[in-house]
Every structure is written in structure tokens, then in C-alpha cells.
């Protein structure tokens, strides 16, 4: 079979709170073997929440791996056994204090397929309700910000938003709005 690798063995390297790391020996299609380092991740969700003024709601938060603050669409990781759609609505409420309607799936993103099995599921919606209180995790600190959709698209094109899920969410949402679907 072409374009297939068969797992011969797997060695667990690290079991953390969020990720699991293992090194696998695989057989390649040419019969040779290679090693693959893999990060297992429970997956995540994100939402492009669009206000009646066509503003997207963003969060700014410090991202330790990059040692900088990133502008992102609201997102979070899946809890074990959690339905991705319900997780997305939970994250939207926790991080932005908003509820939505007319949710549209924007599909899945594989952010780092070379070594990580994380899958991020994306949605877009119209905001219908808001509350002032955010319900952040104990170790989560962020600011919310509203940016007009057209400006957000331009920010992606100017490389001002490096986060992949956010870029995809913005651009797909803009297409839905352009087609009159959202």
C-alpha cells in the first residue's frame, strides 16, 4: 500500500496533564524503518463569533511557548468524552460571555500534522446574547476585543495574526458573510 506507515512498536515518553508523548518505530512503504515522535492531544475547538455590527470577538492572551501575547478567536481544549460542539459553546461563554445562534461548522484544522495529532474543530455564529462576567479557568487570563470582520481579514493578509486556527476562522467566516450565509 502506498503512502502508509505501519506501527511496529511504541514507547511512551511522557504523560502530562494535557499531552501524551510517544516514540514509534514504523515500517515505511519501501520496507525500511523509521522513528516517529508523536504528541497526542485531546483536540480543541474555536468559534468565530460575529456581532450584529459584523465584528468578530477576539481574545488576547499570553502564550507561553511563544513568550508573547497573541490575538486569537476564542478557543479551548476538549475535555475527555466532551462533545466538540458543546465544548465550543462552553468556551465561547467562558471567554467572551456570549451565546450564539445559526452555528455553521467551518470544518477541522490539523495544526501540526508532522508530529502532533491535535484536531481543532471550528465554527462560526452570530452573537445573540451577552453577559458581562467571564468564567475563565483558574490559570487563564485574557482580554476580549472586537474587530470588524473586514479589518480582521486585512490583519491576516498583513501577517498581524499568526495563529493558524484564527486565520482560517476569519477567512472562512468572511466567505460565509460574502455569500450571505451568515
Amino acid at each position: 500500500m502506498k503512502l502508509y506507515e505501519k506501527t511496529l512498536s511504541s514507547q511512551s515518553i511522557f504523560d502530562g496533564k494535557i499531552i501524551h508523548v510517544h516514540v514509534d518505530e514504523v515500517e515505511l512503504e519501501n520496507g525500511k524503518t523509521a522513528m516517529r515522535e508523536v504528541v497526542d492531544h485531546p483536540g480543541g475547538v474555536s468559534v468565530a463569533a460575529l456581532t450584529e455590527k459584523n465584528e468578530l470577538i477576539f481574545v488576547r492572551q499570553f502564550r507561553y511557548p511563544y513568550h508573547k501575547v497573541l490575538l486569537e478567536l476564542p478557543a479551548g481544549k476538549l475535555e475527555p468524552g466532551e462533545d466538540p460542539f458543546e465544548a465550543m459553546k462552553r468556551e465561547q461563554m467562558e471567554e467572551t460571555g456570549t451565546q450564539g445562534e445559526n452555528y455553521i461548522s467551518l470544518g477541522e484544522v490539523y495544526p501540526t500534522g508532522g508530529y502532533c495529532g491535535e484536531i481543532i474543530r471550528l465554527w462560526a455564529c452570530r452573537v445573540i446574547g451577552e453577559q458581562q462576567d467571564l468564567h475563565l479557568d483558574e490559570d487563564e487570563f485574557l482580554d476580549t476585543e472586537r474587530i470588524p470582520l473586514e479589518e480582521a481579514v486585512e490583519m491576516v493578509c498583513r501577517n498581524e495574526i499568526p495563529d493558524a486556527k484564527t486565520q482560517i476562522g476569519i477567512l472562512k467566516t468572511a466567505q460565509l458573510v460574502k455569500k450571505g450565509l451568515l
Side-chain angles (χ1 to χ4, degrees), residues 6 8 25-34:
K6 178 182 175 185
L8 301 174
E25 181 180 16
V26 300
E27 181 181 342
L28 306 173
E29 65 182 70
N30 64 3
K32 295 185 178 186
T33 61

Side-chain angles (χ1 to χ4, degrees), residues 22 24 59 78 112 152 172 174:
H22 53 97
D24 296 355
V59 297
L78 288 169
T112 49
K172 285 187 170 186

Side-chain angles (χ1 to χ4, degrees), residues 136-149:
L136 304 176
D137 294 336
E138 185 177 282
D139 62 348
E140 187 175 35
F141 303 91
L142 56 82
D143 293 325
T144 60
E145 184 173 333
R146 293 166 190 248
I147 298 174
L149 178 60

Side-chain angles (χ1 to χ4, degrees), residues 46-50 56 73 85 88 92 100-107 121-127 168-170 172-174 176-177 181-182:
S46 182
V47 62
L50 197 60
L56 284 172
L73 291 174
F85 182 69
M88 175 272 305
Q92 179 182 355
E101 68 177 356
N102 301 325
Y103 287 93
I104 298 174
S105 173
L106 301 179
R121 291 153 182 94
L122 307 173
W123 281 269
C125 72
R126 283 289 179 175
V127 172
I168 293 166
I170 291 168
K172 285 187 170 186
T173 299
L176 289 173
V177 169
L181 300 173
L182 183 64

Side-chain angles (χ1 to χ4, degrees), residues 36-57:
R36 300 290 185 241
E37 297 172 353
V38 181
V39 176
D40 293 326
H41 185 283
V45 294
S46 182
V47 62
L50 197 60
T51 69
E52 62 184 20
K53 296 178 181 178
N54 275 352
E55 298 169 318
L56 284 172
I57 302 176

Side-chain angles (χ1 to χ4, degrees), residues 11-16 19-23 37-40:
Q11 179 185 2
S12 179
I13 302 298
F14 174 77
D15 278 313
I19 64 167
H20 170 78
V21 180
H22 53 97
V23 176
E37 297 172 353
V38 181
V39 176
D40 293 326

Side-chain angles (χ1 to χ4, degrees), residues 103-118:
Y103 287 93
I104 298 174
S105 173
L106 301 179
E108 298 180 342
V109 175
Y110 295 8
T112 49
Y115 65 89
C116 184
E118 180 182 20

